[in-house]
Amino acid sequence: MQILQTNHALLSRLLPDVRPEDLSVRQGQFHQVVIGTDRVVCLPRTRAAAVRLPHRAAVLRLLAGFELGFRTPRPLLESSTYGTGQPQFLVLSRVPGAPLEADALEDPKVAEAAAAQYVALLTELAGLGAVEKVRAALPAPRDRWRQFAADVRTELFWLMSDGGRQRAERELTALDSLPHLADAVVHGDLGAENVLWERKDGLPVLSGVIDWDEVTIGDPAEDLAAVDASYGTGFLNRVLTLGGWSDSTMATRIAIIRATFALQQALSAHRDDDEEQLTDGLTGYR
C-alpha cells in the first residue's frame, strides 16, 4: 500500500504502537483513511480536502457532545493550520464494527433488526435537527438543489457527450419539484460503507456512523436514497414502513435525489481537482 510507505514517518508518530502489517487503508472520496487498532488517521486526497479538515473536526466534536444511540468518531489530534507546508492529518477514535453485507439481509430476522435500527438512526438525526447549536453549525442552503443543478450545467456539461448532457438535464430538471425541507440533520453519505455494525446473538447491532464530511441540515430523503442505493428497494421499503414514511411524496423525493448521486460525486471531484473520482462520477455521461 503506497500510502503507508509515502507517509511512513508521520504514521509511525501518530500510530506508534501499531505494526505496519496491522494497518489497513480505506479510500473515500475526500480522504485516505489509515485504520489502526483504536484510532484512524485521515489524510486528505486533495488540497481542497485539506482546507476543510478543521471544519470536519469541529463538526465531529459537536456530534461527540450528544448522547446518541450510535457512536461517531471523536477528534483526538489534528495538524496545524493548512498552509504550514507540513502534511495535513486528522486523528480520530476508531468506531468498532464493520459494514453490513447486502446478502446478510436475505435473512428476514436480520433485515428486520437492521431496518429498525436504521429507523432509530434517522430519528436521532431528525431530533438533532431541532437543536439550535447544531443548526447554527451546519449549513441549510435554501436553494441547494437549484444551485446544484445550475453548477452542474456550468461546470460539468462541457465534459459530457450530447447523450450524457441529455441524461443529466432530465435528472437535474426533476430537482425543481423538490420542496425546501430543513428539519433534520442529514449525514449526506449514509451508504453501507459508512454505517458500522457488530453482532449479538446472530443479529446486527448498530455500532456507529463514520464519514460525516457532507453533513448538513436538509431532507431525510437524501439519507434514505443512500440506503436504497446500498441495499435495494425491498430493504428501503421495510425501513420506510417501520418509520412511518411510506407515503408517495417521500418515495418520489428519494428517487429524484438518488438519480443525482453520480453528478454529486463528479461536481465535488471537479472542484477538488480529483481526476479519479471525476472520471468515475461521469462514467455514464460520456
Side-chain angles (χ1 to χ4, degrees):
M1 290 178 282
Q2 185 64 37
I3 186 175
L4 301 181
Q5 299 172 358
T6 304
N7 297 276
H8 175 74
L10 176 65
L11 294 172
S12 296
R13 177 164 62 87
L14 298 177
L15 302 169
D17 300 322
V18 183
R19 298 177 303 174
E21 58 267 31
D22 293 331
L23 297 172
S24 59
V25 177
R26 174 179 178 265
Q27 179 166 302
Q29 181 170 355
F30 303 113
H31 304 93
Q32 290 180 306
V33 182
V34 180
I35 304 171
T37 53
D38 61 354
R39 59 178 59 189
V40 302
V41 179
C42 298
L43 301 170
R45 298 183 66 234
T46 65
R47 291 169 61 89
V51 171
R52 294 192 296 266
L53 272 184
H55 174 71
R56 186 186 192 208
V59 168
L60 290 174
R61 281 193 291 269
L62 175 66
L63 292 172
F66 292 93
E67 291 293 331
L68 302 174
F70 53 89
R71 301 179 193 177
T72 60
R74 292 179 293 102
L76 303 175
L77 182 67
E78 55 191 292
S79 53
S80 303
T81 305
Y82 178 76
T84 61
Q86 299 299 314
Q88 301 298 296
F89 63 83
L90 177 61
V91 181
L92 303 172
S93 62
R94 179 178 178 178
V95 176
L100 187 64
E101 298 295 334
D103 58 6
L105 299 178
E106 295 173 5
D107 182 332
K109 291 183 179 179
V110 170
E112 190 73 10
Q117 289 172 87
Y118 263 109
V119 170
L121 163 60
L122 292 164
T123 301
E124 288 271 13
L125 294 182
L128 277 183
V131 178
E132 185 175 348
K133 66 179 180 179
V134 173
R135 298 185 67 85
L138 298 179
R142 181 167 185 82
D143 295 322
R144 176 188 175 192
W145 293 114
R146 290 181 178 84
Q147 186 61 55
F148 167 74
D151 291 345
V152 169
R153 293 181 179 110
T154 300
E155 300 180 40
L156 297 182
F157 266 27
W158 68 278
L159 296 169
M160 301 178 185
S161 66
D162 289 343
R165 282 191 291 273
Q166 292 172 8
R167 171 188 168 183
E169 187 59 48
R170 290 192 299 270
E171 295 165 350
L172 297 175
T173 299
L175 293 172
D176 291 339
S177 66
L178 291 178
H180 173 65
L181 297 177
D183 300 323
V185 169
V186 174
H187 179 277
D189 190 12
L190 204 65
E193 70 278 4
N194 291 328
V195 183
L196 306 183
W197 306 79
E198 297 177 318
R199 288 275 185 165
K200 183 177 181 181
D201 298 327
L203 295 178
V205 177
L206 179 65
S207 57
V209 180
I210 59 174
D211 197 353
W212 292 82
D213 283 21
E214 300 182 77
V215 63
T216 187
I217 301 290
D219 185 353
E222 185 172 351
D223 283 340
L224 287 162
V227 174
D228 186 17
S230 292
Y231 294 119
T233 302
F235 181 72
L236 172 67
N237 288 339
R238 189 186 291 264
V239 173
L240 294 177
T241 299
L242 286 175
W245 305 316
S246 52
D247 59 279
S248 60
T249 60
M250 174 66 88
T252 299
R253 300 200 315 270
I254 290 170
I256 290 172
I257 292 170
R258 180 181 173 181
T260 68
F261 277 0
L263 292 175
Q264 291 183 48
Q265 174 184 325
L267 184 62
S268 293
H270 178 63
R271 291 174 169 175
D272 280 10
D273 293 321
D274 189 332
E275 189 62 34
E276 180 182 347
Q277 290 290 324
L278 175 63
T279 298
D280 182 62
L282 289 181
T283 297
Y285 300 88
R286 287 179 158 168

